[in-house]
Amino acid sequence: MDDHLWLPYSQMKTAMKPLRVASTSGSRITLDDGRVLIDGIASWWTACHGYNHPHIAACVSRQLAAMPHVMFGGLTHAPAEQLAARLAALLPGDLDRVFFSDSGSVSVEVAIKMATQYWLNRGVRDRHRLIAFHGGYHGDTLGTMAVCDPEEGMHSLFAGVLPRHHLCRLPTDEASHAVFDAFLDRHAHEVAAILIEPLVQGAGGMRFHAASVLSRLRASADRHGVLLILDEVFTGFGRTGTLFACEQAGIVPDIITLSKALTGGTMGLAATVARRHVFEAFWNDDPSAALMHGPTFMANPLACAAANASLDLFEREDRLGQAAVIADQLAAELEPCRALPSVLDVRVRGAIGVVQLTLPVDLDGLKRRLVAAGVWVRPFRDIVYLTPALTIDTASLSRLTAAITAALSSTSAA
Ligand code: PLP
C-alpha cells in the first residue's frame, strides 16, 4: 500500500489493497498491471458518456489553451454563462438562477444555506430546520451529514456535533402521508425546507419510491409554505430514465442540486439552481441580504467547458433511449439473482440495477471475485448495484450482470 495516501471510506489498516489505474476509455478501466475491467458504476455515477469521450476532451483542451481558471468574484466567462443558460432551459419551470460550486456536498450545503437565508431575508427568524428522510444521503460535509440517514449514512459517530434537523420516515402511502402532514402541521413554523433525493435514495441503500411521493411532498410543502429542495446529484442527467428525476413527477422544486454527471465525469463541478421567487428573496439594496458563499474554484472554466460538451452529447445522441435499453437489459439479466439464497430483492429504475442481499455476506470476498471476473463493481452494505455509462454496449453490460450472478451464486455468509 502506498505510504502517503488516505483513501475514502477505508479502514487503512485492514482495507483491501486498492487497484492502481493506468488509463480509462469508454466503459473500460485499464490497470497498471495490464488487466482491463469493465466499469459497472461509471466512477460513482459520473461518467455517463463513458470515459474520455473525444468531444468532451476536445472542448476541454480548447478551453485549457484559452483559460484554465479565473476567479468568479467580480468576473465571469462565456463557458459559465452558456452553461447556466442551458441548465435553466433544460430544467422545468422557472428554475433559472444557477450558483456553481465544486462538489455535490457543497451544492447541498449551498441549497441549505439558500433555503435558510430565504426566510431570514423575508424577516422570518425561526425557520432554520430542514426535513430530510431516513435512507437519504446528501454528502459527507458537516452540514450535509446532518441531513443524512442518522444510522445508515456512515455518520452516526458525529451525531453530537451536528446541527439538528428533522429526520422523518419517507411518506409512501395514504397513512404515512397523513402522519407526515400532521408532523408538518406541528413543525412547519420552524422548517425552512424539505430535502429529498427524488425517485432513488442512492448511497443510503438504493431505495426507490414512486413519482407520486414527490408530487404529494410538493403539495404538502405548498400547503405549509415550506420550500422543497431536490438533490439530483445522483439522479440528474438521465440516470432514472428522464433527464431529471423530477420530470417524472411533473413537479418543480424550489431549489435543485446537480453534480456527478454534470461534466460527463470529467472533473468536479456542481450547481445549485433556484427558482425565481427564491432568488428574489436575495434581491435587495441591503448587502447583508446577499448569499455569502463563494468557493475559490467556483464555475471553473475547464469544468464548465466539459459540462457544456456533455450537454452537447445529450442533445446529439439518444442517451435517454440508451438508458431505457439498459433498464430492460438490467431487468432481464439480473432477475435470475432473485432465486439465489443470498439475495433478498432485485430492482431496476432507469439505468440503475440493484441486487439487495440477505445480510451479512463477505463483501471483500465478493469484491475479489468480481475483479477476478474482469468487472469493477463496488458493493456496499447489503447492496450490489450497477449504474453503468449510458453508452455501455450490450455485451459489456451482459458481462457485468453475468459476473454479479456468478459471484453471488458462490457467496457465503460473512
Ligand atoms: N447528494 C447525493 C444524492 C449524492 O449521491 C452524493 C454523493 O454520492 C452527494 C450529494 C455528495 O456529492 P459529492 O461526493 O460530490 O460531495
Side-chain angles (χ1 to χ4, degrees):
M1 172 89 69
D2 174 279
D3 281 340
H4 302 288
L5 294 177
W6 197 333
L7 299 173
Y9 308 120
S10 300
Q11 171 44 264
M12 295 297 288
K13 188 169 179 189
T14 57
M16 277 168 59
K17 191 173 172 336
L19 304 172
R20 185 187 282 155
V21 177
S23 64
T24 54
S25 175
S27 283
R28 298 281 190 281
I29 295 175
T30 301
L31 303 180
D32 236 19
D33 61 12
R35 282 180 293 167
V36 178
L37 304 179
I38 299 174
D39 184 355
I41 55 171
S43 272
W44 274 334
W45 329 327
T46 60
C48 54
H49 313 287
Y51 296 111
N52 303 13
H53 195 289
H55 177 61
I56 300 183
C59 291
V60 172
S61 297
R62 258 199 311 278
Q63 185 58 46
L64 183 62
M67 173 174 62
H69 185 63
V70 67
M71 64 181 283
F72 212 57
L75 300 173
T76 179
H77 47 78
E81 288 172 13
Q82 262 168 28
L83 179 58
R86 291 174 83 176
L87 290 174
L90 289 169
L91 286 163
D94 59 350
L95 279 163
D96 63 7
R97 197 55 78 151
V98 183
F99 189 96
F100 288 112
S101 57
D102 29 30
S103 74
S105 300
V106 175
S107 72
V108 176
E109 295 268 358
V110 170
I112 294 172
K113 233 163 131 174
M114 245 179 213
T116 311
Q117 194 177 345
Y118 168 88
W119 292 108
L120 292 173
N121 284 359
R122 291 161 55 119
V124 180
R125 306 218 64 78
D126 298 333
R127 286 187 179 248
H128 50 80
R129 288 199 205 284
L130 267 81
I131 293 181
F133 297 100
H134 286 264
Y137 175 82
H138 300 283
D140 292 340
T141 54
L142 279 166
T144 57
M145 282 198 291
V147 285
C148 290
D149 185 293
E151 274 102 47
E152 293 180 2
M154 309 175 271
H155 305 134
S156 52
L157 265 184
F158 295 94
V161 296
L162 298 179
R164 297 180 76 78
H165 296 294
H166 295 294
L167 271 294
C168 293
R169 303 234 158 263
L170 184 65
T172 51
D173 56 17
E174 287 302 322
S176 52
H177 271 291
V179 171
F180 183 72
D181 274 327
F183 181 87
L184 267 181
D185 279 338
R186 290 196 302 281
H187 292 281
H189 66 279
E190 54 169 13
V191 172
I194 298 170
L195 168 66
I196 182 168
E197 298 158 84
L199 298 188
V200 183
Q201 292 179 301
M206 294 289 168
R207 303 182 213 199
F208 303 161
H209 53 261
S212 58
V213 168
L214 301 171
S215 31
R216 297 281 299 258
L217 283 180
R218 177 71 273 181
S220 298
D222 288 342
R223 216 167 21 253
H224 291 90
V226 166
L227 298 179
L228 179 66
I229 305 171
L230 294 189
D231 177 352
E232 293 229 27
V233 165
F234 172 36
T235 53
F237 303 102
R239 186 51 65 187
T240 67
T242 44
L243 196 58
F244 302 106
C246 60
E247 293 168 33
Q248 294 180 43
I251 61 161
V252 184
D254 299 294
I255 301 172
I256 196 166
T257 60
L258 305 168
S259 187
K260 294 221 183 257
L262 174 58
T263 63
T266 313
M267 61 192 85
L269 182 69
T272 307
V273 188
R275 284 176 75 171
R276 216 160 292 152
H277 75 103
V278 174
F279 180 70
E280 278 164 5
F282 292 78
W283 183 264
N284 202 300
D285 292 324
D286 176 2
S288 73
L291 180 65
M292 297 307 280
H293 205 95
T296 303
F297 280 95
M298 173 174 188
N300 170 257
L302 293 174
C304 290
N308 277 314
S310 175
L311 293 183
D312 293 343
L313 294 174
F314 274 102
E315 277 170 18
R316 288 180 203 163
E317 300 176 11
D318 185 16
R319 290 287 175 270
L320 301 183
Q322 289 169 310
V325 171
I326 291 171
D328 288 345
Q329 193 181 342
L330 285 172
E333 295 183 3
L334 290 178
E335 188 54 31
C337 291
R338 204 183 286 282
L340 301 173
S342 58
V343 172
L344 186 69
D345 187 32
V346 176
R347 51 186 182 268
V348 171
R349 188 73 167 262
I352 307 169
V354 181
V355 180
Q356 187 169 0
L357 308 177
T358 51
L359 272 176
V361 294
D362 169 16
L363 269 190
D364 280 352
L366 182 57
K367 285 179 189 169
R368 274 194 205 93
R369 282 199 296 286
L370 290 165
V371 170
V375 301
W376 180 241
V377 181
R378 237 181 100 90
F380 64 95
R381 273 194 346 249
D382 56 342
I383 300 294
V384 185
Y385 71 93
L386 289 173
T387 49
L390 302 178
T391 50
I392 194 165
D393 61 85
T394 314
S396 298
L397 187 54
S398 288
R399 277 201 47 203
L400 286 161
T401 55
I404 287 179
T405 312
L408 293 182
S409 303
S410 54
T411 291
S412 54

